[in-house]
Amino acid sequence: MSARELDPEGTPREMPRHAPRRYTSAALTIGVAVAAVCFAVALAAELVSGEPGSGELTDVAAVLDGLLSLDAWSWAAAGVYAVVATPLVGLVVTAGEYASIGDRRAVGLAIAVMAVLAASAAVAVLR
């Protein structure tokens, strides 16, 4: 499909191109769905076992071990990871979509927002 149109004199002119949003929408939808499934499994595991779990969110190995044993806390932690990672993944995909149409300003803005997210995450972890 061409992004050209004829003006009243019959000469071709460029039409503005709009960024595709299909992949950004898919990334955000998948991230929310993964988080919802993790939280649902956590709730079901909590109801079945009756034991509330606990641990550190920064201990990824313990979270992964708990996923295999259907530990409610580990599934809830995985849901938190998905909720936190979804906006970052969405921004990466958005930057790619804008790069595909050559919109450097929007790509720069997406990268700047990712930098702010990374700085805030670093401050939160180092506190």
Side-chain angles (χ1 to χ4, degrees), residues 72 91 100:
L91 283 167
S100 73

Side-chain angles (χ1 to χ4, degrees), residues 17-91:
R17 293 186 64 188
H18 299 286
R21 292 181 280 259
R22 178 179 310 154
Y23 296 119
T24 298
S25 178
L28 296 174
T29 301
I30 289 169
V32 169
V34 167
V37 166
C38 289
F39 289 133
V41 171
L43 181 62
E46 178 89 19
L47 291 173
V48 169
S49 73
E51 294 182 25
S54 65
E56 291 289 324
L57 280 175
T58 55
D59 189 3
V60 178
V63 171
L64 292 176
D65 288 339
L67 291 177
L68 296 176
S69 63
L70 288 177
D71 179 38
W73 176 83
S74 296
W75 280 94
V80 170
Y81 291 160
V83 166
V84 170
T86 296
L88 180 62
V89 171
L91 283 167

